[in-house]
Amino acid sequence: MPTLAEPSAREQRLIAHYRSLSFRDRRRYARKASPEVRARLAFEEQQIAMDRSPGGLAAILTEGRELQAPHLRMIDQAFQRIANGEQLQVMLTCPPRHGKSQRASRWGPLWYLRRNPTHRVMIASYGAELADDHGRWVRDQLKEYSGALGIRLNPASHAANRFDLEQPRGSSVRGGMVTAGVGGGLTGKGFNLGIIDDPFKGNDDSGSPAQRDRVYDWYRSVFYTRRAPGASIILINTRWHEDDLSGRLLQNEPHRWIQIDLPAIADSPNDPLGRQIGQALWPSQYDEADLADTRETLGERIWYAMYQQKPRPLEGGVWKWAWITSNRLDPKAWPGKNPTRVVVAVDHAGGDSLRNDEVGLCCAARDGDGHYYVLDDRSRTMGADTWGTAVCLLAIERQADAIIVENNFGGDMARQIVTQAWNDLEREGETKGMLMPAVIEVHAKQGKRLRAEPIAQLYSRGLVHHVGEFVELEGQMVTWIPGMDSPDRMDAAVHALTELANPAAAATGSTPYTDRRLSGRR
């Protein structure tokens, strides 16, 4: 790649003016310039393109050979925000062979150092050898393209696992990079940008509870403590286990992380790339047919962990994965169903508690043929001042005829919370003339097995269909063993399905509602 001599003071003023122009004005300016000036301006256009993003840098240095894709641009955007001074913690989950490490552990750090030559980058992987490979790659690009990049290695410090940059003119601070294996020591090393790329070697590594604990302890006591003021962190991984480093961080500190969750096949209407359900992440490389072959070869458990970023726990004693996966309904097919009943169920932590506890909130339906559909799992951390509204909004959205609440702990208070929330929404015009659903109380803290097993039998007969995927709910179901505490999401789903399966309540939906809430569902 050609480089130019250091610009004179006059050329520096010209370049500063040129960079301040819009793209259209720059083209107009270049057309009027002399051949010598146009050569300088062409070089500046390359610099502008390289400054723009890691992908832009890659495209210029490889002369377009580095592949680009929408999901890689999302990674670029995270680096752009960090380089512009935002302090972020970004969690990137992506399938194998989709370019995440090449962009986030190689081009990204190289671009970041070009933009911030006095900063330090740290890269950690499950093994020091892999981390060193990333460091060696970045170092080698600095050697080969130093003129174009505008930054150079310090000749006295250029090892693959630790190298420094030359001090920028007018600065006494050296930037650089250090690499290490997860679990290794980092004494005396710090970072402005810390990257963890694949903290687990594979399924066996992540399947060890002791190893998961070691990785988490290392992250907290070693890696995290090496942050410089204002430092950012990027965690890149394929999800091997529901309690891997990503899973544990999302469990303990979800508010700290920006998630870039990129499944191989879009499985949510809220896909970060705006894909339709069923669309591949990188169709020019791995289209839907390729991924279907991969899924068949890997099996469901490995497919969902590695490619969909939704690790599934091993089965317990009541539900089986096949009962759920074999009878799943594509959300696009739901409008073609004609439900006779729709209910919302809530498993609250205690009616009058204002603590932010996990609240189970699910919606389910039944059709005239005796099939059941789990429509929503909206469970999340909520206090009593918010979960009542969430219940009512879901009931309005799904036009439910009943709301199921537990009366064990604060049951009367739970009814009051739901009623008050409905009245508030009605005053605000949010109910849109819909009559308030019946509030049905259940006493469920005793006899969990007696309540859960009949519902599991409905699943075993292929009568229950999950409309889409509910990873947390399904994980709770297949790992629950009688005698364990019954988890909130599962409780809410069981409450809803029990009400729908109750012969005594089946007639509830057999006559039209006065507000026609079940009409026109097709």
Side-chain angles (χ1 to χ4, degrees), residues 347 445 448 452 476 480 483-491:
D347 179 65
K445 288 298 179 186
K448 291 288 188 181
Q476 288 184 359
W480 183 71
M484 294 171 55
D485 288 339
S486 188
D488 40 49
R489 297 170 190 265
M490 191 192 87
D491 274 356

Side-chain angles (χ1 to χ4, degrees), residues 156-198:
S157 174
H158 54 83
N161 65 347
R162 182 165 188 167
F163 59 79
D164 294 336
L165 302 177
E166 286 187 350
Q167 295 170 203
R169 184 178 300 172
S171 173
S172 60
V173 180
R174 298 184 191 275
M177 177 180 284
V178 63
T179 67
V182 168
L186 293 170
T187 303
K189 304 171 184 177
F191 64 81
N192 303 97
L193 173 59
I195 300 171
I196 302 176
D197 187 352
D198 279 334

Side-chain angles (χ1 to χ4, degrees), residues 131-328:
D132 293 351
D133 283 346
H134 294 317
R136 183 177 296 105
W137 186 94
V138 174
R139 182 202 62 186
D140 291 348
Q141 308 315 302
L142 286 166
K143 287 181 177 180
E144 184 172 355
Y145 299 110
S146 60
L149 291 169
I151 51 176
R152 290 175 171 78
L153 287 167
N154 177 7
S157 174
H158 54 83
N161 65 347
R162 182 165 188 167
F163 59 79
D164 294 336
L165 302 177
E166 286 187 350
Q167 295 170 203
R169 184 178 300 172
S171 173
S172 60
V173 180
R174 298 184 191 275
M177 177 180 284
V178 63
T179 67
V182 168
L186 293 170
T187 303
K189 304 171 184 177
F191 64 81
N192 303 97
L193 173 59
I195 300 171
I196 302 176
D197 187 352
D198 279 334
F200 294 99
K201 186 174 183 179
N203 190 41
D204 291 343
D205 197 27
S206 66
S208 164
Q211 180 63 9
R212 294 197 302 272
D213 287 343
R214 279 194 289 271
V215 170
Y216 185 55
D217 289 344
W218 173 87
Y219 170 81
R220 292 188 299 170
S221 62
V222 179
F223 183 84
Y224 193 77
T225 62
R226 308 315 304 165
R227 296 168 303 132
S232 291
I233 295 172
I234 298 178
L235 171 59
I236 314 158
N237 64 291
T238 294
R239 295 297 309 275
W240 288 102
H241 192 280
E242 66 273 13
D243 187 43
D244 59 15
L245 181 57
S246 288
R248 201 168 291 194
L249 291 171
L250 291 175
Q251 177 69 27
N252 294 322
E253 48 180 75
H255 56 286
R256 297 185 185 277
W257 292 91
I258 296 173
Q259 286 185 263
I260 303 177
D261 185 25
L262 300 168
I265 294 291
D267 56 8
S268 167
N270 300 316
D271 183 74
L273 292 172
R275 294 177 291 167
Q276 297 297 310
I277 291 175
Q279 287 186 328
L281 179 61
W282 203 359
S284 65
Q285 299 297 305
Y286 306 101
D287 62 17
E288 288 84 355
D290 292 325
L291 293 171
D293 290 342
T294 299
R295 180 174 183 171
E296 183 177 4
T297 300
L298 296 180
E300 293 296 284
R301 179 173 168 78
I302 297 177
W303 163 261
Y304 273 98
M306 292 185 66
Y307 281 79
Q308 294 300 97
Q309 310 313 306
K310 295 173 175 62
R312 293 180 162 185
L314 296 172
E315 292 178 342
V318 178
W319 271 269
K320 305 299 180 187
W321 276 120
W323 301 349
I324 299 172
T325 58
S326 299
N327 298 293
R328 196 183 303 282

